[in-house]
Amino acid sequence: MMFFADPAISLSDKLLECVYILIGLITIYAGLKNLFDRENPSRFGTFVFWTSFGVVCAFGHWLPARVSGALVVLMILPAIFRRVNKGRQDAPAKEYTHSQFQKIGMKIFLPALTMGVFSLLFALFTDISALVGVALGVLLSVILLMCYSRDNKPVTFLKDSERLLSMMGPLCMLPQLLGALGGVFTAAGVGDIIGRLVSAVVPEGNVTVGIIVFAVGMALFTAIMGNAFGAITVMTIGVGAPCVLAYGADPVVVGMVALTCGYCGTLLTPMAANFNIVPVAVLDMKDRFGVIKKQAPVAVIMLAVQIVYMIVLH
């Protein structure tokens, strides 16, 4: 409790820690539920994965770094050996969901909108993390859904949270791991290495060629990392700063458009699992790369447009 009573720690950090604790407890529940589910063919591996993840998420602030690291290593072992599976799922029948839709109609999108609105409000008008805003939006969404139907009890949301986690499996860890990978690449000096390689190809002072290399590199590096926010740090150090910004380009325009170029790479990679692989699992699609195949033409067109846009406005 010393953490929450410490006046030197901001309210945002304290509330954010509460969010992580809640997420961790839900994840631990997922591990315990699968441990006692005899229909799960890999219940022990699934238990180890979700429980280790939950303990680090909920209590990582107070755990020694080596303990957290050991738990992360332990967590990934069942995933590597494909011993993380979903057990018995209590999904609602199609007839029930259809009847609920007839009753609720388009109001079903209001809870999702609530989460987005609160995230923006917290990000724009407070000093508290937007993730806390999302959590508050989720709480209000739960209340709305309980008002929609008496069948929606607190335990319903707990079970559905576990069901969604089990459907995604280890893929749900990719955003966190890829975000950390961006920091590792930056600390390791990958951007400087890319800069030396690019400087041998891009003519000095040719901003147009620098922009093209920067934009295409953002898309490719994002496809490799699955995260445009991680890629832009590395690519800006290696290409953007020495080949574009150094010659007077507007950093606001270049930065925003470069991120959009990175998002084009997001549309093309399975590494962006939360966008391109999770929907496949949730919708039970037969083609694992079906989402990426549909997005590929749009991504290529968008990348070309963004390159022209950056050249014109830089």
Side-chain angles (χ1 to χ4, degrees):
M1 293 300 295
M2 292 179 61
F3 173 83
F4 295 102
D6 190 344
I9 299 174
S10 68
L11 176 62
S12 177
D13 289 341
K14 293 175 182 178
L15 292 175
L16 194 58
E17 197 64 46
C18 292
V19 173
Y20 285 131
I21 291 173
L22 180 60
I23 294 172
L25 292 176
I26 292 173
T27 311
I28 292 172
Y29 165 77
L32 293 173
K33 187 262 184 185
N34 280 280
L35 175 64
F36 296 106
D37 184 0
R38 296 188 178 276
E39 295 184 23
N40 188 331
S42 306
R43 58 193 182 113
F44 293 108
T46 306
F47 165 74
V48 169
F49 177 82
W50 289 120
T51 305
S52 300
F53 178 27
V55 170
V56 173
C57 192
F59 310 112
H61 180 85
W62 296 277
L63 292 175
R66 292 188 177 183
V67 174
S68 294
L71 286 173
V72 171
V73 172
L74 181 64
M75 176 188 71
I76 65 174
L77 291 177
I80 291 174
F81 293 105
R82 298 184 178 182
R83 303 307 298 169
V84 181
N85 289 296
K86 59 182 180 181
R88 183 172 59 86
Q89 300 291 308
D90 296 322
K94 291 184 177 180
E95 295 79 8
Y96 176 79
T97 56
H98 181 72
S99 65
Q100 288 296 302
F101 175 73
Q102 295 297 322
K103 175 184 175 182
I104 298 171
M106 300 305 290
K107 290 187 297 183
I108 191 63
F109 290 103
L110 185 58
L113 181 62
T114 302
M115 290 184 283
V117 168
F118 270 83
S119 175
L120 285 173
L121 290 176
F122 272 67
L124 296 175
F125 301 110
T126 75
D127 295 327
I128 299 176
S129 170
L131 185 57
V132 177
V134 173
L136 181 58
V138 169
L139 178 61
L140 293 178
S141 298
V142 167
I143 295 173
L144 282 173
L145 291 169
M146 292 176 70
C147 294
Y148 286 169
S149 173
R150 293 182 179 179
D151 294 338
N152 292 329
K153 299 178 174 60
V155 69
T156 304
F157 299 101
L158 181 62
K159 290 181 178 179
D160 278 353
S161 297
E162 182 278 325
R163 182 163 62 91
L164 183 60
L165 283 173
S166 294
M167 289 174 65
M168 293 188 295
L171 292 174
C172 72
M173 281 300 300
L174 268 181
Q176 294 93 320
L177 294 177
L178 292 172
L181 183 62
V184 173
F185 277 11
T186 302
V190 175
D192 296 329
I193 296 173
I194 293 175
R196 288 196 292 270
L197 295 174
V198 171
S199 62
V201 178
V202 178
E204 185 176 354
N206 194 324
V207 179
T208 299
V209 176
I211 287 174
I212 295 173
V213 173
F214 185 31
V216 174
M218 272 297 301
L220 293 177
F221 213 72
T222 300
I224 294 171
M225 297 183 63
N227 189 314
F229 291 101
I232 195 169
T233 304
V234 177
M235 291 304 299
T236 299
I237 293 173
V239 183
C243 299
V244 181
L245 299 178
Y247 297 99
D250 187 341
V252 176
V253 172
V254 171
M256 290 194 308
V257 181
L259 265 179
T260 308
C261 294
Y263 299 150
C264 296
T266 301
L267 298 176
L268 298 171
T269 176
M271 295 299 286
N274 48 329
F275 294 105
N276 302 330
I277 301 300
V278 170
V280 173
V282 172
L283 298 174
D284 197 22
M285 296 173 61
K286 294 181 180 180
D287 187 353
R288 185 182 178 188
F289 300 105
V291 172
I292 294 175
K293 291 176 181 177
K294 295 294 184 181
Q295 293 174 165
V298 178
V300 174
I301 294 171
M302 283 180 58
L303 180 59
V305 171
Q306 296 304 316
I307 291 174
V308 174
Y309 187 62
M310 197 188 302
I311 291 173
V312 171
L313 296 181
H314 79 276

